[in-house]
Amino acid sequence: MNNFTKRTISSAVFLAVMLTALLTNQYVYGAVMLFILVVMMWEFLKMTCGTEYRYSQILSIIAGATMFIMSYLYKGFGMPGRFIVLSLIPFFILMINSLYVKDKTRFAKFACLYTSILYIAIPWTMLNYTVFSNGGNYSGIILLCFFAIVWGSDVGAYIFGVTLGQKYGKKLFPSISPKKSWIGFWGGMLTAILVSLAFYFTGLFKYNIAHCIAMAIILDIAGVYGDLIESQWKRHYEVKDSGYIIPGHGGLLDRFDSALLAIPSGVMYLIIMDLI
């Protein structure tokens, strides 16, 4: 199977899984998103810590998963908000565990254990604020639209970058991602706005047109930074892909790197503007 065929099949399966997760019900959504969270944290810790501090890596993933689950139960099933603080217990256990690690020659790697929670678990937990209303009713439409805007931006940036950006204009961030260009950036933003406007005119977005354009711009800019942040990690640790779970595409962290910064930024906009 050549690489193009492999990538096409993988993309189709990936899209089918995401549509199923977001459009079926809250239980499928919760299971799929929790799985994605765990895999992304595992990929990040494998890249940064390797085989060292295995027990602590497991504790870090448990801490991140607990944060997601407690937020999920609070938003979707009416769990009292005060119980969310219990999600800190695995994090405290992780910190206490560091005192009992005998080999501290590579102790700096413990920072990556905490970073995996801040970088992946906390942003991913905010997805729950887009799919559940204040009454606990589930709808994955807003989150699906957010993902579509982010991925549309990526596609637009790639098309404009390949066709025009490599020949004309300046590079966006050559020290981290040599192929990204300013032309690709503006092309991605244009695509993001067009996708958002499509959701407005089809009624998927219930906000006014100004909010739709503002959200597209925010998601696009935050998504670009999210992509660059992961690229910086991979460049530092000299890896091409975070994992191999998606044949031809790499790991789940590679697929959701933009969303880790973009989706929480979109959620914050909706909250600040009192739209959710």
Side-chain angles (χ1 to χ4, degrees):
M1 185 183 299
N2 61 46
N3 191 56
F4 176 78
T5 303
K6 185 188 299 183
R7 289 174 63 89
T8 302
I9 295 175
S10 298
S11 297
V13 172
F14 174 77
L15 181 60
V17 170
M18 291 300 297
L19 290 174
T20 301
L22 294 173
L23 300 180
T24 305
N25 56 50
Q26 63 267 42
Y27 305 107
V28 178
Y29 156 82
V32 173
M33 294 305 160
L34 180 60
F35 173 78
I36 292 174
L37 169 63
V38 169
V39 173
M40 285 196 296
M41 292 187 71
W42 176 78
E43 289 175 345
F44 178 81
L45 292 172
K46 181 182 178 182
M47 174 175 62
T48 56
C49 296
T51 59
E52 298 179 84
Y53 306 126
R54 285 283 193 176
Y55 177 69
S56 298
Q57 290 186 43
I58 294 173
L59 283 176
S60 180
I61 293 173
I62 291 174
T66 302
M67 288 182 179
F68 179 87
I69 292 170
M70 299 302 280
S71 172
Y72 173 79
L73 294 175
Y74 164 66
K75 287 295 296 180
F77 297 90
M79 184 191 75
R82 63 181 180 273
F83 290 120
I84 292 181
V85 298
L86 296 177
S87 63
L88 293 175
I89 292 177
F91 182 67
F92 292 156
I93 294 174
L94 172 64
M95 291 192 292
I96 294 171
N97 174 68
S98 67
L99 299 173
Y100 296 93
V101 173
K102 295 181 180 180
D103 182 10
K104 291 185 170 60
T105 57
R106 305 283 288 171
F107 188 71
K109 286 186 177 291
F110 255 80
C112 295
L113 299 172
Y114 305 139
T115 300
S116 68
I117 298 172
L118 177 64
Y119 172 41
I120 299 172
I122 293 177
W124 202 249
T125 294
M126 294 184 70
L127 268 60
N128 293 321
Y129 289 81
T130 66
V131 299
F132 291 112
S133 67
N134 291 331
N137 297 316
Y138 174 81
S139 174
I141 296 298
I142 294 177
L143 183 56
L144 178 60
C145 292
F146 275 8
F147 276 126
I149 291 171
V150 172
W151 293 333
S153 171
D154 288 343
V155 173
Y158 176 79
I159 293 174
F160 279 86
V162 169
T163 56
L164 299 173
Q166 302 303 314
K167 296 180 180 179
Y168 311 102
K170 295 182 179 180
K171 299 298 181 181
L172 180 64
F173 225 120
S175 62
I176 295 176
S177 187
K179 294 184 179 180
K180 283 184 171 56
S181 64
W182 277 103
I183 291 179
F185 170 79
W186 293 114
M189 180 175 291
L190 174 63
T191 308
I193 292 173
L194 291 176
V195 172
S196 185
L197 289 177
F199 293 145
Y200 169 77
F201 286 113
T202 56
L204 292 178
F205 270 163
K206 306 299 182 181
Y207 321 112
N208 65 44
I209 195 168
H211 284 311
C212 292
I213 293 174
M215 284 191 296
I217 293 173
I218 290 171
L219 289 168
D220 173 76
I221 295 175
V224 170
Y225 276 115
D227 183 271
L228 289 170
I229 288 169
E230 199 224 1
S231 295
Q232 181 170 247
W233 281 102
K234 291 194 295 186
R235 181 170 288 273
H236 176 77
Y237 286 98
E238 299 180 342
V239 297
K240 182 179 183 296
D241 298 312
S242 65
Y244 308 97
I245 194 170
I246 308 177
H249 289 274
L252 288 180
L253 186 57
D254 296 320
R255 299 282 65 79
F256 291 104
D257 54 355
S258 299
L260 284 174
L261 208 61
I263 302 298
S265 298
V267 173
M268 286 188 286
Y269 179 85
L270 293 177
I271 292 174
I272 291 172
M273 295 298 173
D274 198 25
L275 297 175
I276 56 174

